[in-house]
Amino acid sequence: PLILITALLLLLAGCAGKAPVQTSNVFDTEREAAQAYSEGDYLLAIQKYEYLVNKVPKDTELWFRLANSYARNREYEKAVVAYQNTLIRDPQHSKAWYNLGTIQLQQALKTFIDFQETVPPGDPIRESVNEKIDALFTILGKKSDLEREDKSQ
């Protein structure tokens, strides 16, 4: 019985000793992720934040930072999903709403530009697409650097 009690105490002591290490690992990883992001190493930041959201899935800010890292790395589909996860956890997270909307506008702009590059110039929808592109450039605060030749006008 004494050996069994000793073994149980050692086992419990070992378990108790691991929890703070895991917590410090999470804090260390969060610091490393933030540093990678601030240095522009978005791929490393993504790896760190993905690890963190798996370890602490209820943390709204970790999801938001993961989304920002995806966005900076031009992984827009993944950014959208991460912003949505942020909003599931905090529906009033205004920056997540703003960034999500901005990415969706950029995706719409890309879709319409792809339309211009793919659909023949005489297509009757082209004029409407051109108007939408101009409106999206205005909304996004960008000047149109694209030289669009529209032979239908």
Side-chain angles (χ1 to χ4, degrees), residues 115 121-134 150 152-153:
F115 170 96
D123 191 283
I125 299 175
R126 196 174 209 31
E127 185 177 335
S128 178
V129 168
N130 288 342
E131 290 169 4
K132 288 183 183 349
I133 288 173
D134 290 340
D150 192 347
S152 67
Q153 294 184 356

Side-chain angles (χ1 to χ4, degrees), residues 12-13 30 32 38 43 54 73 77 79 81 86-87 90-91 97 103 114 118 121 126 128 142 144-146 150:
L12 289 173
E30 187 172 1
E32 293 166 1
S38 70
L43 189 56
N54 284 318
N73 205 47
E77 297 296 328
V81 171
T86 302
L87 294 167
D90 180 5
W97 280 113
I103 285 177
D114 290 347
T118 307
R126 196 174 209 31
S128 178
K142 297 179 179 180
S144 176
D145 294 330
L146 300 174
D150 192 347

Side-chain angles (χ1 to χ4, degrees), residues 44-138:
L44 180 59
I46 288 167
Q47 293 168 352
K48 300 287 183 180
Y49 284 125
E50 284 177 342
Y51 169 82
L52 289 166
V53 298
N54 284 318
K55 291 293 180 186
V56 192
K58 293 181 181 180
D59 190 313
T60 303
E61 284 307 305
L62 293 176
W63 280 103
F64 180 69
R65 292 177 189 155
L66 175 60
N68 286 344
S69 299
Y70 281 136
R72 293 289 183 155
N73 205 47
R74 300 181 187 273
E75 295 181 53
Y76 299 120
E77 297 296 328
K78 290 180 180 181
V80 165
V81 171
Y83 284 128
Q84 290 169 338
N85 272 289
T86 302
L87 294 167
I88 288 168
R89 287 154 182 80
D90 180 5
Q92 296 182 352
H93 198 295
S94 60
K95 290 180 181 179
W97 280 113
Y98 180 85
N99 291 357
L100 175 60
T102 300
I103 285 177
Q104 289 172 328
L105 287 170
Q106 290 171 340
Q107 288 176 316
L109 178 60
K110 183 186 180 314
T111 299
F112 289 129
I113 290 171
D114 290 347
F115 170 96
Q116 278 188 325
E117 294 172 354
T118 307
V119 176
D123 191 283
I125 299 175
R126 196 174 209 31
E127 185 177 335
S128 178
V129 168
N130 288 342
E131 290 169 4
K132 288 183 183 349
I133 288 173
D134 290 340
L136 286 167
F137 273 122
T138 300

